[in-house]
Each structure stands twice: as structure tokens, then as C-alpha cells.
Amino acid sequence: MKRTNRLFLSIVTVLCFLVSCGGKKDAAKNNTEQQPEALFAVNTMKIQRSNISDYIKLTGNVQAKTNIQVFPDQNGKISSIAVKIGQSVVQGQRIMEVNPSRPGMIYALSPVIAPISGVITSLPYEIGDTVSMQTPVAKVGNLSRLEVIANVAEKYISKMKVGLNVAIMVDAYPNMPINGNIYEVSPIVDEVSRTLEVKIEPKGANAALLKHGMYANIKIFTENKKDRVVIPSSCIITRYGEQSVFVICNLPTEISNVTISKMLATSTDDEKALILRYFPRILPASFRGDVFETKILRSLEKRNEERTTLLSLYQKDEDNNLYKLKEQGSFNSNCEKAWNIFLELGQVFVLPISKIFKSSISEDEQLRSILIDKGIIEKTTKFVEKRIVRSGIQIDNKTEIIEGLLQDEEIVYSGQSLLENNAKVKIVQLLNIVY
């Protein structure tokens, strides 16, 4: 008796465990089925047109345009220096004297004369130093005419030409940019540094702030474009060498055949016409051979008419093991039959929205209302279209868009890292970004 009771209890325990497991599986299945589609929070901005310039950042030195090296007429020792650095001199003025005397031989002092009027910019030697006729003992510059000399890397040489605009900044006046132009481009490249020398002429009232010997940060503007579509570079997603931007849409960019049929079933004739213009019924372009044969044709084994319909629309590609849709002029009666067969067999496929149909604002709002009324989307839900773009100038976190976007379209500014085409989004903030 005790043994029978133990056996009974064991059976009850096992049954309870199985029921419990089954319940958990059903609950898990229900949770999976009821799990809502992901909704992404994003910030957006409106696309604007603006001017954009490409430039090369370099450093340079401010120098006198005319800066003449002065050489002595005799070898010897410097016996006197008559000027100081920064002192103005006139042409013919004595700068220093060199004593050419040697042991046992006395000569008159040899004067070193300023070859031009200007300012002493260099005096590298002192009294008592020995110099030769090949030694520059001073430099005289005309500081009323300054220039900035910069060296451009070899890869940018093709962009260099006389007349390019330049912005010059010096540490002494960080908030006072100085304009300039390239007025001379060297015809040769330095073999050691692989750079090309360019000379820049400062212009405008702020040019008077420059001093000989200053260190300058410069921007050489190589390209200027006006009235272009410009967006923050951070809006662009680059994947596998392809650039794209997520554009906000009121309507989905993809939809399933099941959803289209659901809408059409409860729509008026006018609504159907609008729905089918924007959400046209399109059969899948291809099916895997095993799917088409085992899941579709096998399900229609005793329904020869439906099998014949599908086989009249799809042709086997033996090389790729695909059933491909034959050319169809329009969505004809056979397509309609195939559409209904796929629905009946539970074949759910996603359709891209027609790019040919461009709705007006009123039709766009009407379509959105239909989707909301039929429970397809929520009032606060919007979608994103992954738009392939072609970019131009990219500088200072700004990118020129040559192709793919239009002015006033709304794009995702932040929160796009997890997005894919047709993702549902909630707009947290519309940012006003002005360039």
C-alpha cells in the first residue's frame, strides 16, 4: 500500500512538473509574441543650405618681404657695431667696422654699409668675432612690407595656386584674424622635407599687427562653395564604405504583405486607391528552392490550380537554387491569386515602399491618419529612411552633401547608432543648428 502511494505521488509530481514547464513555455511564447517593436529616442534637425570652404591648416613665419643679407668687404675681426636689432637705417649707413689687420700688418678699418633703407633684423655676431667675406654679418629688412612663408606638404601641391585666400592667426592677437592671399608659389619641391614653399601677403587693417619673426597659424582656402546642403558630419553613418543619413518619415519605408491586406480589407475605395499607390502589392522577387518546393508547393499538393498559378509566375534557377519571379507588366489576376495563396500559407514578406510615388503633404497626412486609425502605427511614432548620400567637402565637423538630401528635410542628429531602415522613432528634440 505504501509502495502504491509512493508511486502515485511520483506520478503526480511528474505531471505537475510537466504542466509547470508547459505553462512556462506558453508564457514565454506569449511574452515573445506580445513584445513591442523597438522604439528609438532620437534628436533631429532640419537640413539647411549654407556656404562651406575647404582649407589646409599650416604654420608659417612672418618675415620682411625685403630682407637683405649684409656681407663684409674684408676678412677680419669685428671692431665696432654701430646699430642694434630693430634700429632703422638708411641706404649707405655704416652698420659696423671690420679690422682686416694681420700680425705684422696694419690696415685701415673696413666699414660694412647698409645696402638698402630699412630695419636691422639680424646681428648674429659680436665685437671681436672673426668673419669672412662669405659670412652674413647682418640683415636689413623693409618692415613696411611683410609676408608669411609656409611650407605645404607634397600631397597638397596640386591645390596650390596664386590668389588663394588665406586666414592668418598669431598668438599675440588670438581673436583678430588677418586676411591674406598667396602671391608666390615656389616652382620646386624641397627634396629633404618634401614640401613646397608658398609666400602669403597679409592684407587689411589687421595686417599692421604683424611683426617680423612672429609664428603664424594659417588656413589656405582651396575651395569655396556657396548655397550648398550642409549637415554635421556626425549625422553620417559610414558602413562598408557606404555613407548614409537617417531621414525622418511620417510613413513607413517598408511594410509587410499581411499589413497591406489588413488595411485594404477595411478601407473605402478612395482609401484603397491611395494605399495601393503608396503601398503597392508586389510579389517577392525570389524564393529559395527548398522553401518554394517543400513549404509552398508541397502545401498545395492537392490544389493543382494554385500550384499551376505559382509555377506560371516563378521559374527555377538551377544554378542558384532559386525560384525567380518572371517579368510581369503589372499586378495582374495571377499575381492577385499568388498574393492570396502566400497569405493563406502564412508566407509573410516585407515590401519596400515605392520610390516613384511622391505624395503631397495632404495625402501624406491622410495616409498617416489611415495607418493610425487602423492601429498600424501610434500617433507619436515616426519612421526613418536610411538614405544613401554622396558627400563633398568635409571640414570642421561639417559635410557638404552633393546628392541624397534636400533642404528642409528632417534628419537624425543623435541616437542613430542602432537605427536601421524603417525603424520606429520618437523625436525627443528638434535642434536648431545654424552654420
Side-chain angles (χ1 to χ4, degrees), residues 133-165:
M133 293 176 7
Q134 290 78 38
T135 305
V137 295
K139 286 184 181 180
V140 180
N142 181 358
L143 299 188
S144 63
R145 300 183 64 199
L146 297 176
E147 65 184 4
V148 179
I149 297 180
N151 294 303
V152 181
E154 189 172 2
K155 64 179 179 179
Y156 298 123
I157 287 176
S158 62
K159 298 183 178 182
M160 292 300 105
K161 59 184 178 181
V162 172
L164 289 180
N165 292 327

Side-chain angles (χ1 to χ4, degrees), residues 150-202:
N151 294 303
V152 181
E154 189 172 2
K155 64 179 179 179
Y156 298 123
I157 287 176
S158 62
K159 298 183 178 182
M160 292 300 105
K161 59 184 178 181
V162 172
L164 289 180
N165 292 327
V166 181
I168 306 165
M169 297 290 294
V170 291
D171 291 341
Y173 306 101
N175 299 318
M176 301 184 73
I178 301 162
N179 297 324
N181 297 99
I182 292 179
Y183 78 91
E184 183 179 304
V185 178
S186 174
I188 60 174
V189 175
D190 186 280
E191 293 182 358
V192 178
S193 64
R194 313 307 305 174
T195 59
L196 182 79
E197 184 181 87
V198 295
K199 293 183 178 180
I200 300 156
E201 181 179 13

Side-chain angles (χ1 to χ4, degrees), residues 68-337:
I68 305 298
Q69 292 182 325
V70 184
F71 296 86
D73 293 331
Q74 297 288 333
N75 298 333
K77 291 184 178 181
I78 297 173
S79 61
S80 66
I81 299 176
V83 295
K84 296 179 180 179
I85 291 179
Q87 181 178 328
S88 296
V89 295
V90 296
Q91 186 177 7
Q93 182 177 335
R94 183 174 296 187
I95 294 175
M96 63 178 64
E97 290 180 327
V98 174
N99 185 354
S101 298
R102 299 175 185 176
M105 301 176 71
I106 299 175
Y107 293 95
L109 297 177
S110 175
V112 179
I113 304 301
I116 62 169
S117 298
V119 175
I120 300 295
T121 60
S122 176
L123 282 173
Y125 297 101
E126 298 179 355
I127 294 174
D129 288 343
T130 300
V131 295
S132 70
M133 293 176 7
Q134 290 78 38
T135 305
V137 295
K139 286 184 181 180
V140 180
N142 181 358
L143 299 188
S144 63
R145 300 183 64 199
L146 297 176
E147 65 184 4
V148 179
I149 297 180
N151 294 303
V152 181
E154 189 172 2
K155 64 179 179 179
Y156 298 123
I157 287 176
S158 62
K159 298 183 178 182
M160 292 300 105
K161 59 184 178 181
V162 172
L164 289 180
N165 292 327
V166 181
I168 306 165
M169 297 290 294
V170 291
D171 291 341
Y173 306 101
N175 299 318
M176 301 184 73
I178 301 162
N179 297 324
N181 297 99
I182 292 179
Y183 78 91
E184 183 179 304
V185 178
S186 174
I188 60 174
V189 175
D190 186 280
E191 293 182 358
V192 178
S193 64
R194 313 307 305 174
T195 59
L196 182 79
E197 184 181 87
V198 295
K199 293 183 178 180
I200 300 156
E201 181 179 13
K203 293 185 176 181
N206 288 346
L209 301 172
L210 294 177
K211 304 293 182 186
H212 175 87
M214 277 184 165
Y215 178 85
N217 292 299
I218 63 176
K219 292 179 180 178
I220 299 177
F221 294 96
T222 57
E223 194 173 7
N224 297 291
K225 295 184 178 180
K226 296 182 178 180
D227 194 33
R228 302 301 176 103
V229 170
V230 178
I231 66 172
S233 300
S234 56
C235 294
I236 299 175
I237 299 292
T238 303
R239 293 174 183 165
Y240 309 110
E242 191 175 66
Q243 291 184 319
S244 59
V245 175
F246 288 102
V247 181
I248 298 297
C249 303
N250 284 323
L251 301 165
T253 61
E254 293 178 350
I255 201 163
S256 75
N257 58 332
V258 174
T259 303
I260 293 175
S261 294
K262 178 182 175 182
M263 288 191 294
L264 295 175
T266 56
S267 297
T268 65
D269 289 342
D270 289 341
E271 287 176 339
K272 286 179 181 178
L274 185 58
I275 290 168
L276 289 175
R277 274 200 292 158
Y278 195 84
F279 304 124
R281 289 176 294 176
I282 305 170
L283 296 180
S286 64
F287 282 100
R288 266 180 28 208
D290 56 341
V291 172
F292 194 81
E293 291 172 359
T294 62
K295 290 190 176 181
I296 298 175
L297 293 182
R298 186 173 294 176
S299 300
L300 303 172
E301 280 182 336
K302 297 181 179 179
R303 298 159 63 177
N304 291 331
E305 185 178 343
E306 280 121 332
R307 280 173 60 93
T308 302
T309 297
L310 293 188
L311 290 172
S312 70
L313 292 170
Y314 285 89
Q315 186 173 4
K316 180 74 175 288
D317 177 358
E318 298 288 353
D319 293 336
N320 298 303
N321 190 29
L322 291 175
Y323 276 85
K324 293 185 177 180
L325 184 67
K326 298 176 185 177
E327 287 285 336
Q328 301 294 316
S330 60
F331 196 81
N332 53 38
S333 59
N334 274 350
C335 294
E336 180 88 35
K337 291 177 184 176

Side-chain angles (χ1 to χ4, degrees), residues 48-52 225-230 398 435:
Q48 299 178 4
R49 300 186 77 88
S50 179
N51 300 337
I52 189 169
K225 295 184 178 180
K226 296 182 178 180
D227 194 33
R228 302 301 176 103
V229 170
V230 178
K398 295 188 295 185
Y435 292 117

